[in-house]
Amino acid sequence: MADTPKTATLTIGDTTLDLPIHSPTLGPDVLDIRKLYAQGKVFTYDPGFTSTAACDSAITYIDGDEGVLLHYGYPIDQLAGKSHYLEVCYLLLYGALPSAAELEHFETTITRHTMIHEQMHNFFRGFRRDAHPMATMVGVVGAMSAFYHDSTDISDAQQREVASHRLIAKMPTIAAMAYKYSIGQPFVYPRNDLDYAANFLHMCFSVPAEDYVVDPILARAMDRIFTLHADHEQNASTSTVRLASSSGANPFACIAAGIACLWGPAHGGANQACLEMLKEIGTPDRIPEFIARAKDKNDPFRLMGFGHRVYKNFDPRATVMKQSADEVLELMGVEDNPLLQVAKELEKAALEDPYFAEKKLFPNVDFYSGIILEAMGFPTSMFTPIFALSRTVGWISQWKEQLSDPAHKIGRPRQLYTGPTQRDYVDVENR
Ligand code: SDX
């Protein structure tokens, strides 16, 4: 016998409503309020969406209390340790790990889309040299819709596929070009004989005057950073992409919107803000001063790289990132990097402080990533662009999933209105 559908009974004045409850594969039940306004003439109120599921999705599951992050069921620590970024891209796009032949075909397809239209080089030259690379990425990715007309029709599955491949393939090229432009060095074209992470390092650090050989251990660390940032359920930038997509906007415009949202220091911009914070702290003896500031309600200062809306135990990505930081810094011969010492001392001091324990604040994915990226030679301004190129596959996968649902509607939240009631216009001479 089919299970009796679960419902919740809501009484508003003399109206009683039975609202359906849906059960997920994993995680909490959801209360379906789609008919609440039609039947009850009330809205729910949830600024920041602390208790609101905006969609159903099969791609990523997070258990914030247990520190669990799964991509189509596979734990992030296993993917970071045993898989590689393009295989994770395949998993996120198609929902299954590829066969060897499928993986080879996918990697070849991505490799052969890494160049951007030569005329797009002119976009970079329209920016000041000191433009933040995130500004350049927002502009250039948005401009892709002006060059790749044959992959902007979202109603055509083949065009959605081509746009997905183009974005995943070209994002490292665009990020590397933004970096090269910012330091006044010539652009470096992608190479088809290098894997995804090695190609990115080569495009960033190669110069015409000498051969640049990518260190395979650095390439592996870079690839792991890409994997750790690939997707993360309905975070702010992914929700931005979904909302943009719901209006029928083309994929390049949607991803440009996601890049813009990720830029904020409360989100993807935290990796840059965290390293700048560690530099401001400078030495372990100044940690108590900054811990006190983070706890002071009158001080807007927060520990960057700490806290998370969902993780209330630990961020499993931070655990892997911390291991990677030790490996990369040892390889670079800077294992005694003062910033790493400050970061480790700061983490220890914060986790021993009741304030952070009570508020369940732990290091997140952005706490250690900046230390690795700086040791690799990237300026802090490139940290968030690297997050953006890594997250492109997550945005694209969620974008594809939303478009594949024939019932999806344009996103249009309501509000709690607090403005004036209706009043008549007053001519300026009578005000
Ligand atoms: C990412 O959503 C995702 O999945 C995002 C992400 C992804 O992969 O897409 O994981 C990537 O964005 C990670 C987060 C990077 N941001 C930072 O590291 C910036 C510093 N952290 C915070 O600003 C904050 O923790 C957020 C934005 C991450 C989460 O904010 P919430 O969930 O809205 O929590 P909140 O701001 O309401 O804080 C709860 C309490 C507050 O105190 P009270 O008002 O209850 O007294 O904790 C305090 C905050 O003041 N608090 C902090 C703090 N973070 C929260 N206090 C000091 N330092 C901090 N870092």
Side-chain angles (χ1 to χ4, degrees):
M1 177 172 167
D3 293 343
T4 307
K6 290 193 278 188
T7 60
T9 301
L10 180 64
T11 301
I12 305 166
D14 53 10
T15 304
T16 299
L17 305 174
D18 285 330
L19 299 173
I21 291 176
H22 305 308
S23 294
T25 318
L26 290 170
D29 284 352
V30 299
L31 182 58
D32 187 336
I33 59 165
R34 283 176 289 184
K35 298 200 184 315
L36 178 61
Y37 180 64
Q39 295 173 359
K41 292 302 175 199
V42 294
F43 298 141
T44 58
Y45 183 66
D46 187 14
F49 310 116
T50 55
S51 304
T52 295
C55 63
D56 49 73
S57 177
I59 299 170
T60 291
Y61 173 70
I62 299 171
D63 182 330
D65 296 325
E66 300 301 323
V68 171
L69 168 56
L70 308 177
H71 292 317
Y72 279 105
Y74 297 102
I76 189 61
D77 57 318
Q78 292 185 27
L79 292 172
K82 298 177 179 179
S83 184
H84 63 277
Y85 182 69
L86 281 189
E87 184 175 71
V88 172
C89 286
Y90 186 100
L91 172 64
L92 292 170
L93 286 171
Y94 305 113
L97 289 172
S99 67
E102 289 166 334
L103 180 59
E104 184 187 5
H105 175 69
F106 180 72
E107 290 185 334
T108 302
T109 301
I110 296 300
T111 299
R112 294 192 176 282
H113 278 85
T114 47
M115 268 206 310
I116 66 172
H117 191 294
E118 192 71 4
Q119 206 181 325
M120 288 186 73
H121 289 208
N122 300 327
F123 282 120
F124 292 85
R125 295 189 177 91
F127 288 90
R128 286 172 45 131
R129 287 283 180 182
D130 60 357
H132 194 293
M134 284 296 278
T136 312
M137 286 185 78
V138 169
V140 173
V141 171
M144 287 173 77
S145 55
F147 278 84
Y148 300 109
H149 301 288
D150 61 346
S151 60
T152 52
D153 177 356
I154 61 169
S155 64
D156 178 333
Q158 176 56 20
Q159 292 199 30
R160 293 201 300 268
E161 191 77 350
V162 172
S164 303
H165 293 160
R166 279 174 167 155
L167 280 157
I168 292 166
K170 297 178 193 313
M171 206 60 86
T173 308
I174 292 168
M177 290 174 75
Y179 171 55
K180 284 301 204 185
Y181 183 73
S182 73
I183 58 175
Q185 288 186 1
F187 297 141
V188 175
Y189 286 91
R191 281 177 33 183
N192 292 353
D193 62 324
L194 296 176
D195 67 38
Y196 193 87
N199 212 356
F200 176 65
L201 292 173
H202 182 262
M203 290 188 285
C204 288
F205 298 127
S206 171
V207 290
E210 58 187 41
D211 288 338
Y212 172 80
V213 178
V214 179
D215 184 311
I217 297 179
L218 282 192
R220 177 71 190 128
M222 187 81 265
D223 188 275
R224 190 180 299 139
I225 287 176
F226 292 163
T227 295
L228 292 172
H229 288 84
D231 187 53
H232 211 240
E233 199 212 72
Q234 305 311 318
N235 57 83
S237 53
T238 298
S239 300
T240 299
V241 170
R242 278 182 171 261
L243 197 56
S245 163
S246 73
S247 75
N250 74 68
F252 306 109
C254 293
I255 299 306
I259 295 170
C261 177
L262 184 77
W263 195 356
H267 191 11
N271 52 20
Q272 173 175 348
C274 180
L275 201 84
E276 289 163 354
M277 174 191 73
L278 294 174
K279 286 180 175 176
E280 187 185 356
I281 294 172
T283 52
D285 62 303
R286 296 193 64 203
I287 287 173
E289 170 196 340
F290 284 83
I291 292 271
R293 284 187 59 195
K295 292 161 62 176
D296 180 356
K297 282 289 153 231
N298 299 315
D299 188 330
F301 173 79
R302 288 190 164 186
L303 286 187
M304 302 317 283
F306 253 76
H308 199 277
R309 171 63 60 75
V310 178
Y311 290 122
K312 300 306 176 187
N313 187 336
F314 65 94
D315 182 337
R317 302 168 298 176
T319 307
V320 179
M321 200 73 81
K322 185 175 179 180
Q323 293 160 2
S324 202
D326 286 331
E327 288 168 18
V328 170
L329 294 181
E330 187 178 346
L331 171 81
M332 306 296 287
V334 287
E335 58 271 26
D336 59 349
N337 177 315
L339 290 180
L340 181 62
Q341 304 318 319
V342 170
K344 288 185 173 179
E345 289 290 328
L346 177 59
E347 177 185 12
K348 183 171 178 292
L351 297 185
E352 288 171 353
D353 188 301
Y355 172 91
F356 294 90
E358 283 157 19
K359 294 189 183 293
K360 300 183 183 299
L361 303 174
F362 299 87
N364 58 48
V365 69
D366 294 310
F367 189 68
Y368 283 103
S369 57
I371 292 167
I372 302 173
L373 295 172
E374 182 174 74
M376 286 179 164
F378 290 105
T380 53
S381 60
M382 277 301 291
F383 292 3
T384 309
I386 288 169
F387 192 152
L389 83 82
S390 309
R391 184 55 57 87
T392 296
V393 65
W395 292 329
I396 281 290
S397 305
Q398 303 266 352
W399 169 78
K400 282 182 68 178
E401 182 179 63
Q402 174 162 299
L403 290 177
S404 67
D405 174 2
H408 84 271
K409 303 162 77 73
I410 189 167
R412 197 340 185 150
R414 302 305 303 270
Q415 63 179 12
L416 169 65
Y417 177 69
T418 58
T421 54
Q422 184 167 328
R423 53 185 171 170
D424 293 330
Y425 180 80
V426 177
D427 295 331
V428 66
E429 57 270 16
N430 299 324
R431 289 176 202 159

